[in-house]
Amino acid sequence: MFATLSLKFCVLLFFAIVANGNFVEDDKNHLRFPPGFVLGAATAAYQIEGAWNVSDKGESTWDRFCHYKDGRVYGKATGDVATNSYYKYKEDVALLKKLGFTSYRFSVSWPRILPTGFANYISQDGVRYYHNLIDELLANEIEPLMTLYHWDHPQVLEDAGGWLNSEMVNWFGDYARILYREYGDKVKRFIPINEAHSVCINGYSTGVDAPGKKLHGIGEYLCIHNSIKAHARAYRIYEKEFKPTQHGEVGFMYSLPTPIPKNSSDILSAVVGFEFAAGWILHPIYAKNGDYPEIMKEMIAAKSKQQGYARSRLPEFEPEWIDYIRGTSDFLAVNHYTSKLMEPGESGPVPSHVNDAGLVASYKPSWAKTASDWLRVAPEGFRYLLRQLATKYGNPPIYITENGYSDTGTNHDWERIQYYRDYLEQMLLAMYVDGVNVKGYYLWSLLDNFEWRRGYSERFGIVSVDFSDQNRTRTLKQSALWWQQVTAERKLPLSIIVPTTPRPEIPLSTPRPTPRPIRGPI
């Protein structure tokens, strides 16, 4: 099955992504962030806003999914209130300012803007809310980075097929045009779709996330196909109608665990793992000839035929769509958390994207666990991924738009601090040593929030939220104080010094002392 992949291509790609093995880590200048480098924090609408039925807001897929209350979300939790940021956005912006972040990545709730799902009716209350948020950010000299869609599309559109329906391309384009028109004079950087991989695999293949459809082997491919087209439509609308006057940028989002060959000499697993993860969605945008990677097309066609299908389960792009999609990104947005080891073998349901790749994933025993079963601490995979992306796709401008660590809830979160420090160092090494063009970094997340099907059982925030308190009181964690120091000094500490006696928690409602450094100067 792998025979059609040329050995020359495999060898060239493999050596390109493992190059630069001799690091210059003794030069501690690599711990400093370069001038102009963006340090920000990220959140998403459904995970923090609450106010799920305020004013004329429509129902989202996650509203419907959570309200079944049948165990599909841990603890039967919902995002009905979440962190109540719809009402506490000024407090959240004040937190960003206090901690020294200069940019904030947030998403817009599609049904809050378009209650019917369509562009026939625009909610003025919804539009006003995001104007208020953006104005508050700008008044505090914090740059907004807007994600148009972060998993919560209108339920009425899902009733019409959702991302399996090719009309979503037009509906999303209509929605994008409204947001550009409303906010483009204030927002200069947009990401149309967050983590299409996650929506399509978890929502339309395994069914563990909204909208909960189990169409493995078909659903994920149709969903990605339409998502890529929808992104391109949003990009072309901005390029033609708004960029000449607004002078902003529209980027493309990539996110999946870094696939690393379990055996370093296993060139084929390295290539296949990369193409089935990154190439699947990035090749149509960034490759010279566009379209899906050849090895994906060949392997899925062969498996489809073997399984008795009349044609490949991977949809085909028409020639005009290949041209329309190619080049539709001004920057690459990368969400990264963890890595996986890959080796040849059979895994996943038949058929499925996982099974089509012919690889088995595992974790190194040495990679520390977190509260999330999918997240292991593997900082070396971060640099490895950045080198891959730069080598394969011409070293585009990259913004790390999510990166973070989960626990079950503690304000003395030293493991989270260590995670950030180690991952950031690997990112800086990729920049200084490997020449990767990273322009900014957004941590996930500013606040503990609703973590999708895990409800409130897993916490990613550097600010704790008391979900048992109607006021949703915020408290800075140790990681927030660490970040406050990092943003002030614009460099990483040499190491993390954990105190033997935990410091007392300090509610935000009381005056805060000047944070003590947790390490000596460089």
Side-chain angles (χ1 to χ4, degrees):
M1 189 174 294
F2 288 0
T4 55
L5 180 63
S6 74
L7 181 61
K8 180 178 179 181
F9 172 78
C10 289
V11 172
L12 286 175
L13 179 58
F14 178 73
F15 282 111
I17 63 179
V18 300
N20 298 311
N22 296 320
F23 307 151
V24 290
E25 297 179 11
D26 289 338
D27 181 1
K28 296 308 176 185
N29 283 326
H30 76 268
L31 296 177
R32 296 182 178 274
F33 296 99
F37 189 87
V38 176
L39 289 173
T43 62
Y46 188 79
Q47 293 180 271
I48 68 164
E49 284 181 3
W52 81 277
N53 60 352
V54 164
S55 184
D56 53 356
K57 176 187 171 293
E59 183 187 26
S60 77
T61 51
W62 272 94
D63 291 325
R64 176 72 62 86
F65 192 77
C66 292
H67 289 163
Y68 284 120
K69 291 185 178 292
D70 57 1
R72 63 184 68 192
V73 176
Y74 185 87
K76 298 182 180 180
T78 74
D80 289 0
V81 179
T83 71
N84 210 22
S85 289
Y86 182 83
Y87 297 104
K88 297 173 73 72
Y89 71 90
K90 288 188 177 182
E91 184 176 339
D92 294 340
V93 173
L95 281 171
L96 291 163
K97 182 73 170 180
K98 181 183 186 70
L99 298 177
F101 295 113
T102 58
S103 188
Y104 180 48
R105 179 185 169 229
F106 65 94
S107 74
V108 175
S109 168
W110 189 340
R112 198 179 296 286
I113 298 294
L114 299 180
T116 69
F118 304 98
N120 64 310
Y121 173 71
I122 302 171
S123 168
Q124 293 308 306
D125 284 350
V127 167
R128 189 179 305 111
Y129 169 71
Y130 293 105
H131 271 301
N132 291 340
L133 170 61
I134 293 165
D135 289 345
E136 189 71 13
L137 290 167
L138 294 175
N140 285 276
E141 300 181 301
I142 298 171
E143 174 194 16
L145 169 56
M146 178 182 285
T147 304
L148 278 56
Y149 166 69
H150 195 127
W151 302 7
D152 53 344
H153 58 278
Q155 179 63 39
V156 65
L157 300 187
E158 187 55 42
D159 294 340
W163 289 108
L164 305 184
N165 185 344
S166 61
E167 278 302 305
M168 278 290 271
V169 177
N170 295 322
W171 298 333
F172 185 73
D174 295 339
Y175 168 60
R177 180 180 285 108
I178 290 166
L179 296 190
Y180 297 149
R181 185 174 65 235
E182 286 291 342
Y183 306 116
D185 288 338
K186 303 174 183 178
V187 178
K188 299 306 176 185
R189 196 166 289 126
F190 297 93
I191 298 169
I193 297 174
N194 178 80
E195 295 185 355
H197 273 107
S198 296
V199 176
C200 296
I201 293 175
N202 296 334
Y204 293 91
S205 178
T206 66
V208 296
D209 283 348
K213 294 181 177 178
K214 299 179 180 180
L215 300 166
H216 51 78
I218 296 174
E220 64 264 51
Y221 290 129
L222 284 173
C223 176
I224 286 289
H225 200 68
N226 289 325
S227 296
I228 292 173
K229 286 183 174 181
H231 164 85
R233 177 62 52 81
Y235 181 93
R236 296 301 184 195
I237 287 172
Y238 189 83
E239 178 185 52
K240 180 180 180 180
E241 300 176 27
F242 299 96
K243 193 166 188 172
T245 57
Q246 294 180 356
H247 309 294
E249 296 180 314
V250 176
F252 188 77
M253 162 78 70
Y254 165 75
S255 175
L256 263 188
T258 302
I260 302 174
K262 189 170 185 178
N263 183 335
S264 60
S265 62
D266 184 3
I267 299 173
L268 284 174
S269 290
V271 175
V272 173
F274 180 84
E275 296 294 12
F276 268 77
W280 184 18
I281 64 167
L282 292 180
H283 204 275
I285 307 288
Y286 282 100
K288 180 179 179 181
N289 297 322
D291 204 357
Y292 294 121
E294 286 300 319
I295 190 170
M296 273 196 77
K297 294 195 292 185
E298 293 168 5
M299 289 176 64
I300 296 169
K303 279 218 171 182
S304 298
K305 182 178 180 180
Q306 187 181 71
Q307 293 160 356
Y309 291 90
R311 64 191 62 84
S312 176
R313 288 177 283 101
L314 181 69
E316 293 184 10
F317 285 118
E318 299 86 349
E320 60 270 23
W321 270 106
I322 291 175
D323 293 338
Y324 187 81
I325 292 166
R326 190 172 57 243
T328 55
S329 184
D330 298 320
F331 62 90
L332 177 58
V334 176
N335 290 0
H336 176 79
Y337 292 87
T338 191
S339 300
K340 288 186 176 181
L341 301 177
M342 298 293 180
E343 60 183 322
E346 292 291 311
S347 64
V350 179
S352 67
H353 169 262
V354 172
N355 184 264
D356 287 339
L359 297 172
V360 175
S362 62
Y363 299 104
K364 277 187 182 180
S366 61
W367 290 347
K369 295 181 179 180
T370 67
S372 305
D373 58 8
W374 55 269
L375 204 172
R376 300 292 191 276
V377 180
E380 64 272 22
F382 194 14
R383 181 180 180 186
Y384 179 87
L385 172 66
L386 292 173
R387 277 205 311 269
Q388 284 181 299
L389 295 173
T391 301
K392 180 71 173 176
Y393 298 119
N395 203 13
I398 292 175
Y399 289 86
I400 309 305
T401 41
E402 287 184 27
N403 177 241
Y405 177 95
S406 66
D407 58 31
T408 56
T410 175
N411 289 359
H412 308 294
D413 53 344
W414 300 103
E415 290 84 1
R416 176 172 289 110
I417 294 172
Q418 190 68 59
Y419 175 99
Y420 280 133
R421 193 227 167 268
D422 292 346
Y423 272 71
L424 284 165
E425 181 169 20
Q426 291 299 311
M427 178 194 73
L428 289 168
L429 285 170
M431 294 164 58
Y432 286 120
V433 180
D434 307 326
V436 181
N437 190 20
V438 183
K439 297 293 189 180
Y441 173 98
Y442 295 77
L443 66 87
W444 183 271
S445 177
L446 175 66
L447 304 168
D448 286 340
N449 53 47
F450 177 82
E451 280 301 328
W452 309 112
R453 66 182 179 275
R454 298 304 302 161
Y456 300 98
S457 65
E458 298 172 8
R459 308 293 177 92
F460 278 86
I462 62 170
V463 176
S464 171
V465 177
D466 185 352
F467 294 103
S468 64
D469 178 2
Q470 186 177 1
N471 192 44
R472 297 300 195 266
T473 301
R474 280 96 159 111
T475 302
L476 296 183
K477 301 180 184 181
Q478 297 293 347
S479 57
L481 300 178
W482 183 82
W483 269 106
Q484 189 177 46
Q485 183 175 344
V486 168
T487 59
E489 297 183 357
R490 303 280 301 177
K491 64 184 178 183
L492 295 180
L494 285 169
S495 61
I496 305 300
I497 302 173
V498 181
T500 54
T501 303
R503 297 177 196 165
E505 297 175 7
I506 308 172
L508 292 178
S509 58
T510 61
R512 305 195 57 80
T514 302
R516 293 179 294 168
I518 61 174
R519 50 88 181 170
I522 294 178

